[in-house]
Amino acid sequence: MARVFSGIQPSGELHIGNYLGAVRNWVALQERHECFFSIVDYHAITQSYEPAQLEAQTFDMAVGLLAAGIDPERCVLFVQSHVPEHTELAWVLTTVTPLGELERMTQFKDKSQLQESVPAGLLNYPVLQAADILLYKADLVPVGQDQEQHLELVREIVRKWNRRFGAGFFPEPQVHHTEAKRIVGLDGQAKMSKSLNNTIGILDDPERIWQLLRPAMTDPARVRRIDPGDPAKCNVFSLHQYFSPADTVDHVADSCRGAKWGCLDCKRVLADNIIAAFVPMRERAAELRAHPERVHEILRSGAERARAVAAETMAAVRAAMGLLPAEKVALRR
Ligand code: AQP
């Protein structure tokens, strides 16, 4: 049984890009592997955010994940900041991480352009990610394509640390993708992303889903209803491939190519299929919201289980690196 780790930022709602690219995979992997899934709030604070909203967003993310099928009986679900070893190991790993590698990360380059003054936390984001994964000595990391470069760096950090402090101590984690490794946002341009405001939330109500989808970008060549379109250039068509049955997908492609219907007709069918796909999740989420104490208990127990593993790894890391054990001075951690 492989160890699996993955995380999601509570920087907004759980959207269909997160779901198709990562969370759906988590739900499948928890059936056959030992899985640790974390709501990574320390990652979320590397971008500009509203402190008054973070707690509610963290709770909502837990609700979203549980509604999507994350089962606390089959995996460990916890909030990153409840397990202090994450930041502790992150510091340790900064000491073997080359600065130049951090500076060349695409996500860092993109996001630092959006900030007037670039915080060091943004640069060190992949180091904290390395700590998240390595604390649990995870073999597999189910993520979207946007995280591939970070995972390459995590493997390099592993090689450097192992070479210096303990051959084979950390495994080199492998990326695990779904077939939907990059879902494009409703703008038809960038990856669907909470911070880009181009998302459809899996728990959005039916009317909101339709209002979001209505203005979504399609093939720019289809200016008028009578203009034939190219499904390969249309993000709405690619979403049909994830939410509509095969015969509907064929019908959509044919109607688009032959200008047999308008983009709004095509979007209405997609909206109905997205709405239907998430009905059970909306119901589960409503049930969980009515019982917040259940969600709190799941997160409490998850953090406790995660800490047991994380504390063991950290103790071994400190020993391998020659730090004076706290127990020697009778200090309890
Ligand atoms: N569009 C996407 N397609 C496929 N997978 C995706 N993931 C995110 N967007 C897509 C995967 O979802 C997991 C959680 O990632 P995240 O919390 O960083 O999600 P986000 O929506 O990208 O969040 P933010 O807050 O807006 O962050 P940035 O600005 O960094 O994109 C990951 O496995 C991710 O690969």
PDB file of all heavy atoms in Angstrom, residues 269-303:
ATOM      1  N   VAL A 269     -27.190  22.878 -21.843  1.00  0.00           N
ATOM      2  CA  VAL A 269     -27.079  21.424 -21.660  1.00  0.00           C
ATOM      3  C   VAL A 269     -25.947  21.128 -20.671  1.00  0.00           C
ATOM      4  O   VAL A 269     -26.082  20.302 -19.758  1.00  0.00           O
ATOM      5  CB  VAL A 269     -26.819  20.715 -23.017  1.00  0.00           C
ATOM      6  CG1 VAL A 269     -26.568  19.232 -22.817  1.00  0.00           C
ATOM      7  CG2 VAL A 269     -27.989  20.936 -23.963  1.00  0.00           C
ATOM      8  N   LEU A 270     -24.833  21.837 -20.850  1.00  0.00           N
ATOM      9  CA  LEU A 270     -23.699  21.620 -19.935  1.00  0.00           C
ATOM     10  C   LEU A 270     -24.089  22.001 -18.507  1.00  0.00           C
ATOM     11  O   LEU A 270     -23.800  21.248 -17.553  1.00  0.00           O
ATOM     12  CB  LEU A 270     -22.489  22.451 -20.397  1.00  0.00           C
ATOM     13  CG  LEU A 270     -21.277  22.389 -19.473  1.00  0.00           C
ATOM     14  CD1 LEU A 270     -20.734  20.956 -19.350  1.00  0.00           C
ATOM     15  CD2 LEU A 270     -20.162  23.321 -19.960  1.00  0.00           C
ATOM     16  N   ALA A 271     -24.748  23.149 -18.346  1.00  0.00           N
ATOM     17  CA  ALA A 271     -25.144  23.594 -16.999  1.00  0.00           C
ATOM     18  C   ALA A 271     -26.001  22.517 -16.338  1.00  0.00           C
ATOM     19  O   ALA A 271     -25.770  22.162 -15.172  1.00  0.00           O
ATOM     20  CB  ALA A 271     -25.903  24.914 -17.079  1.00  0.00           C
ATOM     21  N   ASP A 272     -26.962  21.982 -17.084  1.00  0.00           N
ATOM     22  CA  ASP A 272     -27.849  20.962 -16.492  1.00  0.00           C
ATOM     23  C   ASP A 272     -27.049  19.736 -16.058  1.00  0.00           C
ATOM     24  O   ASP A 272     -27.312  19.149 -15.005  1.00  0.00           O
ATOM     25  CB  ASP A 272     -28.940  20.560 -17.495  1.00  0.00           C
ATOM     26  CG  ASP A 272     -29.943  21.693 -17.699  1.00  0.00           C
ATOM     27  OD1 ASP A 272     -29.992  22.605 -16.838  1.00  0.00           O
ATOM     28  OD2 ASP A 272     -30.652  21.693 -18.722  1.00  0.00           O
ATOM     29  N   ASN A 273     -26.061  19.363 -16.853  1.00  0.00           N
ATOM     30  CA  ASN A 273     -25.279  18.171 -16.499  1.00  0.00           C
ATOM     31  C   ASN A 273     -24.344  18.431 -15.308  1.00  0.00           C
ATOM     32  O   ASN A 273     -24.156  17.555 -14.464  1.00  0.00           O
ATOM     33  CB  ASN A 273     -24.490  17.667 -17.714  1.00  0.00           C
ATOM     34  CG  ASN A 273     -25.431  17.068 -18.750  1.00  0.00           C
ATOM     35  OD1 ASN A 273     -26.550  16.674 -18.417  1.00  0.00           O
ATOM     36  ND2 ASN A 273     -24.998  17.014 -19.991  1.00  0.00           N
ATOM     37  N   ILE A 274     -23.786  19.635 -15.245  1.00  0.00           N
ATOM     38  CA  ILE A 274     -22.941  19.967 -14.085  1.00  0.00           C
ATOM     39  C   ILE A 274     -23.810  20.003 -12.826  1.00  0.00           C
ATOM     40  O   ILE A 274     -23.443  19.442 -11.781  1.00  0.00           O
ATOM     41  CB  ILE A 274     -22.219  21.329 -14.282  1.00  0.00           C
ATOM     42  CG1 ILE A 274     -21.207  21.236 -15.426  1.00  0.00           C
ATOM     43  CG2 ILE A 274     -21.519  21.763 -12.997  1.00  0.00           C
ATOM     44  CD1 ILE A 274     -20.469  22.543 -15.731  1.00  0.00           C
ATOM     45  N   ILE A 275     -24.958  20.639 -12.936  1.00  0.00           N
ATOM     46  CA  ILE A 275     -25.870  20.742 -11.780  1.00  0.00           C
ATOM     47  C   ILE A 275     -26.223  19.342 -11.278  1.00  0.00           C
ATOM     48  O   ILE A 275     -26.135  19.045 -10.081  1.00  0.00           O
ATOM     49  CB  ILE A 275     -27.140  21.552 -12.173  1.00  0.00           C
ATOM     50  CG1 ILE A 275     -26.762  23.019 -12.373  1.00  0.00           C
ATOM     51  CG2 ILE A 275     -28.240  21.404 -11.120  1.00  0.00           C
ATOM     52  CD1 ILE A 275     -27.794  23.848 -13.139  1.00  0.00           C
ATOM     53  N   ALA A 276     -26.584  18.464 -12.217  1.00  0.00           N
ATOM     54  CA  ALA A 276     -26.991  17.094 -11.832  1.00  0.00           C
ATOM     55  C   ALA A 276     -25.832  16.339 -11.187  1.00  0.00           C
ATOM     56  O   ALA A 276     -26.016  15.611 -10.206  1.00  0.00           O
ATOM     57  CB  ALA A 276     -27.498  16.345 -13.063  1.00  0.00           C
ATOM     58  N   ALA A 277     -24.612  16.540 -11.711  1.00  0.00           N
ATOM     59  CA  ALA A 277     -23.450  15.789 -11.194  1.00  0.00           C
ATOM     60  C   ALA A 277     -23.191  16.080  -9.722  1.00  0.00           C
ATOM     61  O   ALA A 277     -22.719  15.221  -8.976  1.00  0.00           O
ATOM     62  CB  ALA A 277     -22.207  16.136 -12.029  1.00  0.00           C
ATOM     63  N   PHE A 278     -23.501  17.320  -9.302  1.00  0.00           N
ATOM     64  CA  PHE A 278     -23.134  17.696  -7.934  1.00  0.00           C
ATOM     65  C   PHE A 278     -24.309  17.726  -6.952  1.00  0.00           C
ATOM     66  O   PHE A 278     -24.122  18.133  -5.810  1.00  0.00           O
ATOM     67  CB  PHE A 278     -22.384  19.042  -7.953  1.00  0.00           C
ATOM     68  CG  PHE A 278     -21.035  18.935  -8.631  1.00  0.00           C
ATOM     69  CD1 PHE A 278     -20.759  19.658  -9.778  1.00  0.00           C
ATOM     70  CD2 PHE A 278     -20.059  18.078  -8.130  1.00  0.00           C
ATOM     71  CE1 PHE A 278     -19.521  19.538 -10.420  1.00  0.00           C
ATOM     72  CE2 PHE A 278     -18.832  17.946  -8.765  1.00  0.00           C
ATOM     73  CZ  PHE A 278     -18.561  18.679  -9.909  1.00  0.00           C
ATOM     74  N   VAL A 279     -25.487  17.249  -7.393  1.00  0.00           N
ATOM     75  CA  VAL A 279     -26.644  17.233  -6.478  1.00  0.00           C
ATOM     76  C   VAL A 279     -26.322  16.489  -5.174  1.00  0.00           C
ATOM     77  O   VAL A 279     -26.521  17.022  -4.076  1.00  0.00           O
ATOM     78  CB  VAL A 279     -27.903  16.629  -7.158  1.00  0.00           C
ATOM     79  CG1 VAL A 279     -28.974  16.285  -6.122  1.00  0.00           C
ATOM     80  CG2 VAL A 279     -28.470  17.605  -8.173  1.00  0.00           C
ATOM     81  N   PRO A 280     -25.786  15.250  -5.241  1.00  0.00           N
ATOM     82  CA  PRO A 280     -25.537  14.546  -3.978  1.00  0.00           C
ATOM     83  C   PRO A 280     -24.541  15.278  -3.086  1.00  0.00           C
ATOM     84  O   PRO A 280     -24.640  15.253  -1.867  1.00  0.00           O
ATOM     85  CB  PRO A 280     -24.945  13.193  -4.415  1.00  0.00           C
ATOM     86  CG  PRO A 280     -25.063  13.127  -5.891  1.00  0.00           C
ATOM     87  CD  PRO A 280     -25.414  14.473  -6.422  1.00  0.00           C
ATOM     88  N   MET A 281     -23.592  15.969  -3.700  1.00  0.00           N
ATOM     89  CA  MET A 281     -22.582  16.687  -2.899  1.00  0.00           C
ATOM     90  C   MET A 281     -23.200  17.904  -2.218  1.00  0.00           C
ATOM     91  O   MET A 281     -22.893  18.199  -1.064  1.00  0.00           O
ATOM     92  CB  MET A 281     -21.411  17.092  -3.768  1.00  0.00           C
ATOM     93  CG  MET A 281     -20.750  15.843  -4.316  1.00  0.00           C
ATOM     94  SD  MET A 281     -19.342  16.184  -5.309  1.00  0.00           S
ATOM     95  CE  MET A 281     -19.191  14.599  -6.130  1.00  0.00           C
ATOM     96  N   ARG A 282     -24.100  18.585  -2.949  1.00  0.00           N
ATOM     97  CA  ARG A 282     -24.769  19.737  -2.317  1.00  0.00           C
ATOM     98  C   ARG A 282     -25.601  19.274  -1.130  1.00  0.00           C
ATOM     99  O   ARG A 282     -25.640  19.924  -0.092  1.00  0.00           O
ATOM    100  CB  ARG A 282     -25.641  20.478  -3.330  1.00  0.00           C
ATOM    101  CG  ARG A 282     -24.868  21.495  -4.154  1.00  0.00           C
ATOM    102  CD  ARG A 282     -25.792  22.505  -4.822  1.00  0.00           C
ATOM    103  NE  ARG A 282     -26.731  21.863  -5.726  1.00  0.00           N
ATOM    104  CZ  ARG A 282     -26.439  21.477  -6.970  1.00  0.00           C
ATOM    105  NH1 ARG A 282     -25.232  21.706  -7.448  1.00  0.00           N
ATOM    106  NH2 ARG A 282     -27.334  20.889  -7.730  1.00  0.00           N
ATOM    107  N   GLU A 283     -26.214  18.115  -1.276  1.00  0.00           N
ATOM    108  CA  GLU A 283     -27.039  17.594  -0.167  1.00  0.00           C
ATOM    109  C   GLU A 283     -26.166  17.236   1.034  1.00  0.00           C
ATOM    110  O   GLU A 283     -26.469  17.563   2.169  1.00  0.00           O
ATOM    111  CB  GLU A 283     -27.831  16.363  -0.632  1.00  0.00           C
ATOM    112  CG  GLU A 283     -28.971  16.766  -1.555  1.00  0.00           C
ATOM    113  CD  GLU A 283     -29.684  15.587  -2.205  1.00  0.00           C
ATOM    114  OE1 GLU A 283     -29.302  14.409  -1.935  1.00  0.00           O
ATOM    115  OE2 GLU A 283     -30.603  15.840  -2.996  1.00  0.00           O
ATOM    116  N   ARG A 284     -25.054  16.568   0.745  1.00  0.00           N
ATOM    117  CA  ARG A 284     -24.155  16.194   1.861  1.00  0.00           C
ATOM    118  C   ARG A 284     -23.599  17.440   2.543  1.00  0.00           C
ATOM    119  O   ARG A 284     -23.454  17.490   3.761  1.00  0.00           O
ATOM    120  CB  ARG A 284     -23.000  15.329   1.340  1.00  0.00           C
ATOM    121  CG  ARG A 284     -23.358  13.851   1.240  1.00  0.00           C
ATOM    122  CD  ARG A 284     -22.121  12.973   1.278  1.00  0.00           C
ATOM    123  NE  ARG A 284     -21.283  13.130   0.105  1.00  0.00           N
ATOM    124  CZ  ARG A 284     -21.424  12.412  -1.016  1.00  0.00           C
ATOM    125  NH1 ARG A 284     -22.362  11.507  -1.095  1.00  0.00           N
ATOM    126  NH2 ARG A 284     -20.628  12.601  -2.045  1.00  0.00           N
ATOM    127  N   ALA A 285     -23.271  18.462   1.742  1.00  0.00           N
ATOM    128  CA  ALA A 285     -22.706  19.695   2.318  1.00  0.00           C
ATOM    129  C   ALA A 285     -23.724  20.368   3.232  1.00  0.00           C
ATOM    130  O   ALA A 285     -23.367  20.852   4.312  1.00  0.00           O
ATOM    131  CB  ALA A 285     -22.275  20.641   1.202  1.00  0.00           C
ATOM    132  N   ALA A 286     -24.991  20.389   2.825  1.00  0.00           N
ATOM    133  CA  ALA A 286     -26.029  21.031   3.650  1.00  0.00           C
ATOM    134  C   ALA A 286     -26.140  20.304   4.986  1.00  0.00           C
ATOM    135  O   ALA A 286     -26.243  20.927   6.049  1.00  0.00           O
ATOM    136  CB  ALA A 286     -27.361  21.017   2.909  1.00  0.00           C
ATOM    137  N   GLU A 287     -26.048  19.007   4.937  1.00  0.00           N
ATOM    138  CA  GLU A 287     -26.138  18.179   6.149  1.00  0.00           C
ATOM    139  C   GLU A 287     -24.945  18.493   7.085  1.00  0.00           C
ATOM    140  O   GLU A 287     -25.107  18.672   8.283  1.00  0.00           O
ATOM    141  CB  GLU A 287     -26.129  16.706   5.678  1.00  0.00           C
ATOM    142  CG  GLU A 287     -25.949  15.647   6.718  1.00  0.00           C
ATOM    143  CD  GLU A 287     -27.237  15.369   7.478  1.00  0.00           C
ATOM    144  OE1 GLU A 287     -28.287  15.846   7.018  1.00  0.00           O
ATOM    145  OE2 GLU A 287     -27.157  14.713   8.541  1.00  0.00           O
ATOM    146  N   LEU A 288     -23.761  18.603   6.497  1.00  0.00           N
ATOM    147  CA  LEU A 288     -22.565  18.886   7.308  1.00  0.00           C
ATOM    148  C   LEU A 288     -22.619  20.300   7.900  1.00  0.00           C
ATOM    149  O   LEU A 288     -22.223  20.518   9.046  1.00  0.00           O
ATOM    150  CB  LEU A 288     -21.299  18.735   6.455  1.00  0.00           C
ATOM    151  CG  LEU A 288     -20.929  17.296   6.084  1.00  0.00           C
ATOM    152  CD1 LEU A 288     -19.966  17.273   4.907  1.00  0.00           C
ATOM    153  CD2 LEU A 288     -20.312  16.587   7.291  1.00  0.00           C
ATOM    154  N   ARG A 289     -23.117  21.238   7.102  1.00  0.00           N
ATOM    155  CA  ARG A 289     -23.199  22.620   7.609  1.00  0.00           C
ATOM    156  C   ARG A 289     -24.164  22.720   8.772  1.00  0.00           C
ATOM    157  O   ARG A 289     -23.993  23.559   9.655  1.00  0.00           O
ATOM    158  CB  ARG A 289     -23.626  23.568   6.487  1.00  0.00           C
ATOM    159  CG  ARG A 289     -22.506  23.814   5.516  1.00  0.00           C
ATOM    160  CD  ARG A 289     -22.664  25.147   4.789  1.00  0.00           C
ATOM    161  NE  ARG A 289     -21.537  25.306   3.888  1.00  0.00           N
ATOM    162  CZ  ARG A 289     -21.579  25.071   2.579  1.00  0.00           C
ATOM    163  NH1 ARG A 289     -22.702  24.688   2.014  1.00  0.00           N
ATOM    164  NH2 ARG A 289     -20.498  25.225   1.842  1.00  0.00           N
ATOM    165  N   ALA A 290     -25.152  21.843   8.768  1.00  0.00           N
ATOM    166  CA  ALA A 290     -26.115  21.853   9.877  1.00  0.00           C
ATOM    167  C   ALA A 290     -25.504  21.242  11.147  1.00  0.00           C
ATOM    168  O   ALA A 290     -26.060  21.359  12.227  1.00  0.00           O
ATOM    169  CB  ALA A 290     -27.367  21.089   9.464  1.00  0.00           C
ATOM    170  N   HIS A 291     -24.377  20.541  10.974  1.00  0.00           N
ATOM    171  CA  HIS A 291     -23.719  19.898  12.130  1.00  0.00           C
ATOM    172  C   HIS A 291     -22.224  20.231  12.131  1.00  0.00           C
ATOM    173  O   HIS A 291     -21.393  19.336  11.958  1.00  0.00           O
ATOM    174  CB  HIS A 291     -23.907  18.370  12.061  1.00  0.00           C
ATOM    175  CG  HIS A 291     -25.333  17.963  12.148  1.00  0.00           C
ATOM    176  ND1 HIS A 291     -26.036  17.942  13.328  1.00  0.00           N
ATOM    177  CD2 HIS A 291     -26.203  17.599  11.181  1.00  0.00           C
ATOM    178  CE1 HIS A 291     -27.278  17.573  13.102  1.00  0.00           C
ATOM    179  NE2 HIS A 291     -27.415  17.350  11.799  1.00  0.00           N
ATOM    180  N   PRO A 292     -21.878  21.503  12.362  1.00  0.00           N
ATOM    181  CA  PRO A 292     -20.460  21.881  12.283  1.00  0.00           C
ATOM    182  C   PRO A 292     -19.592  21.102  13.257  1.00  0.00           C
ATOM    183  O   PRO A 292     -18.407  20.871  12.994  1.00  0.00           O
ATOM    184  CB  PRO A 292     -20.475  23.382  12.615  1.00  0.00           C
ATOM    185  CG  PRO A 292     -21.815  23.669  13.197  1.00  0.00           C
ATOM    186  CD  PRO A 292     -22.753  22.632  12.693  1.00  0.00           C
ATOM    187  N   GLU A 293     -20.180  20.668  14.377  1.00  0.00           N
ATOM    188  CA  GLU A 293     -19.381  19.940  15.380  1.00  0.00           C
ATOM    189  C   GLU A 293     -18.831  18.634  14.786  1.00  0.00           C
ATOM    190  O   GLU A 293     -17.750  18.193  15.155  1.00  0.00           O
ATOM    191  CB  GLU A 293     -20.201  19.700  16.669  1.00  0.00           C
ATOM    192  CG  GLU A 293     -21.331  18.679  16.607  1.00  0.00           C
ATOM    193  CD  GLU A 293     -22.578  19.132  15.808  1.00  0.00           C
ATOM    194  OE1 GLU A 293     -22.651  20.314  15.395  1.00  0.00           O
ATOM    195  OE2 GLU A 293     -23.465  18.283  15.586  1.00  0.00           O
ATOM    196  N   ARG A 294     -19.555  18.039  13.829  1.00  0.00           N
ATOM    197  CA  ARG A 294     -19.047  16.807  13.194  1.00  0.00           C
ATOM    198  C   ARG A 294     -17.785  17.109  12.378  1.00  0.00           C
ATOM    199  O   ARG A 294     -16.830  16.346  12.385  1.00  0.00           O
ATOM    200  CB  ARG A 294     -20.100  16.231  12.239  1.00  0.00           C
ATOM    201  CG  ARG A 294     -21.243  15.591  12.953  1.00  0.00           C
ATOM    202  CD  ARG A 294     -22.090  14.822  11.930  1.00  0.00           C
ATOM    203  NE  ARG A 294     -23.415  14.631  12.453  1.00  0.00           N
ATOM    204  CZ  ARG A 294     -24.509  14.453  11.730  1.00  0.00           C
ATOM    205  NH1 ARG A 294     -24.424  14.419  10.402  1.00  0.00           N
ATOM    206  NH2 ARG A 294     -25.676  14.278  12.290  1.00  0.00           N
ATOM    207  N   VAL A 295     -17.830  18.236  11.684  1.00  0.00           N
ATOM    208  CA  VAL A 295     -16.676  18.613  10.855  1.00  0.00           C
ATOM    209  C   VAL A 295     -15.481  18.911  11.768  1.00  0.00           C
ATOM    210  O   VAL A 295     -14.349  18.471  11.505  1.00  0.00           O
ATOM    211  CB  VAL A 295     -17.027  19.850   9.986  1.00  0.00           C
ATOM    212  CG1 VAL A 295     -15.836  20.263   9.129  1.00  0.00           C
ATOM    213  CG2 VAL A 295     -18.251  19.554   9.126  1.00  0.00           C
ATOM    214  N   HIS A 296     -15.745  19.619  12.865  1.00  0.00           N
ATOM    215  CA  HIS A 296     -14.656  19.944  13.801  1.00  0.00           C
ATOM    216  C   HIS A 296     -14.036  18.660  14.355  1.00  0.00           C
ATOM    217  O   HIS A 296     -12.809  18.552  14.475  1.00  0.00           O
ATOM    218  CB  HIS A 296     -15.178  20.813  14.955  1.00  0.00           C
ATOM    219  CG  HIS A 296     -15.580  22.181  14.505  1.00  0.00           C
ATOM    220  ND1 HIS A 296     -16.512  22.939  15.148  1.00  0.00           N
ATOM    221  CD2 HIS A 296     -15.182  22.920  13.428  1.00  0.00           C
ATOM    222  CE1 HIS A 296     -16.672  24.097  14.510  1.00  0.00           C
ATOM    223  NE2 HIS A 296     -15.865  24.101  13.467  1.00  0.00           N
ATOM    224  N   GLU A 297     -14.869  17.699  14.691  1.00  0.00           N
ATOM    225  CA  GLU A 297     -14.360  16.457  15.261  1.00  0.00           C
ATOM    226  C   GLU A 297     -13.510  15.682  14.232  1.00  0.00           C
ATOM    227  O   GLU A 297     -12.463  15.118  14.564  1.00  0.00           O
ATOM    228  CB  GLU A 297     -15.542  15.599  15.777  1.00  0.00           C
ATOM    229  CG  GLU A 297     -15.180  14.205  16.276  1.00  0.00           C
ATOM    230  CD  GLU A 297     -14.031  14.173  17.291  1.00  0.00           C
ATOM    231  OE1 GLU A 297     -13.791  15.174  17.985  1.00  0.00           O
ATOM    232  OE2 GLU A 297     -13.347  13.118  17.343  1.00  0.00           O
ATOM    233  N   ILE A 298     -13.947  15.700  12.989  1.00  0.00           N
ATOM    234  CA  ILE A 298     -13.168  15.025  11.927  1.00  0.00           C
ATOM    235  C   ILE A 298     -11.785  15.682  11.811  1.00  0.00           C
ATOM    236  O   ILE A 298     -10.753  15.010  11.720  1.00  0.00           O
ATOM    237  CB  ILE A 298     -13.935  15.091  10.584  1.00  0.00           C
ATOM    238  CG1 ILE A 298     -15.153  14.161  10.644  1.00  0.00           C
ATOM    239  CG2 ILE A 298     -13.031  14.742   9.409  1.00  0.00           C
ATOM    240  CD1 ILE A 298     -16.166  14.367   9.520  1.00  0.00           C
ATOM    241  N   LEU A 299     -11.764  17.016  11.857  1.00  0.00           N
ATOM    242  CA  LEU A 299     -10.483  17.728  11.714  1.00  0.00           C
ATOM    243  C   LEU A 299      -9.605  17.548  12.949  1.00  0.00           C
ATOM    244  O   LEU A 299      -8.377  17.464  12.848  1.00  0.00           O
ATOM    245  CB  LEU A 299     -10.730  19.219  11.436  1.00  0.00           C
ATOM    246  CG  LEU A 299     -11.435  19.528  10.108  1.00  0.00           C
ATOM    247  CD1 LEU A 299     -11.704  21.025   9.984  1.00  0.00           C
ATOM    248  CD2 LEU A 299     -10.612  19.035   8.911  1.00  0.00           C
ATOM    249  N   ARG A 300     -10.251  17.486  14.114  1.00  0.00           N
ATOM    250  CA  ARG A 300      -9.469  17.280  15.341  1.00  0.00           C
ATOM    251  C   ARG A 300      -8.794  15.915  15.292  1.00  0.00           C
ATOM    252  O   ARG A 300      -7.593  15.774  15.483  1.00  0.00           O
ATOM    253  CB  ARG A 300     -10.377  17.373  16.578  1.00  0.00           C
ATOM    254  CG  ARG A 300      -9.607  17.354  17.902  1.00  0.00           C
ATOM    255  CD  ARG A 300     -10.458  16.885  19.071  1.00  0.00           C
ATOM    256  NE  ARG A 300     -11.014  15.561  18.875  1.00  0.00           N
ATOM    257  CZ  ARG A 300     -10.324  14.429  18.962  1.00  0.00           C
ATOM    258  NH1 ARG A 300      -9.044  14.456  19.254  1.00  0.00           N
ATOM    259  NH2 ARG A 300     -10.909  13.266  18.756  1.00  0.00           N
ATOM    260  N   SER A 301      -9.589  14.909  14.978  1.00  0.00           N
ATOM    261  CA  SER A 301      -9.057  13.557  14.960  1.00  0.00           C
ATOM    262  C   SER A 301      -8.013  13.402  13.846  1.00  0.00           C
ATOM    263  O   SER A 301      -6.988  12.744  14.010  1.00  0.00           O
ATOM    264  CB  SER A 301     -10.237  12.593  14.818  1.00  0.00           C
ATOM    265  OG  SER A 301      -9.884  11.479  14.114  1.00  0.00           O
ATOM    266  N   GLY A 302      -8.267  14.062  12.704  1.00  0.00           N
ATOM    267  CA  GLY A 302      -7.307  13.999  11.592  1.00  0.00           C
ATOM    268  C   GLY A 302      -5.965  14.590  11.996  1.00  0.00           C
ATOM    269  O   GLY A 302      -4.902  14.011  11.720  1.00  0.00           O
ATOM    270  N   ALA A 303      -6.003  15.749  12.673  1.00  0.00           N
ATOM    271  CA  ALA A 303      -4.748  16.397  13.080  1.00  0.00           C
ATOM    272  C   ALA A 303      -3.986  15.513  14.070  1.00  0.00           C
ATOM    273  O   ALA A 303      -2.749  15.425  14.013  1.00  0.00           O
ATOM    274  CB  ALA A 303      -5.050  17.757  13.701  1.00  0.00           C
TER     275      ALA A 303
END
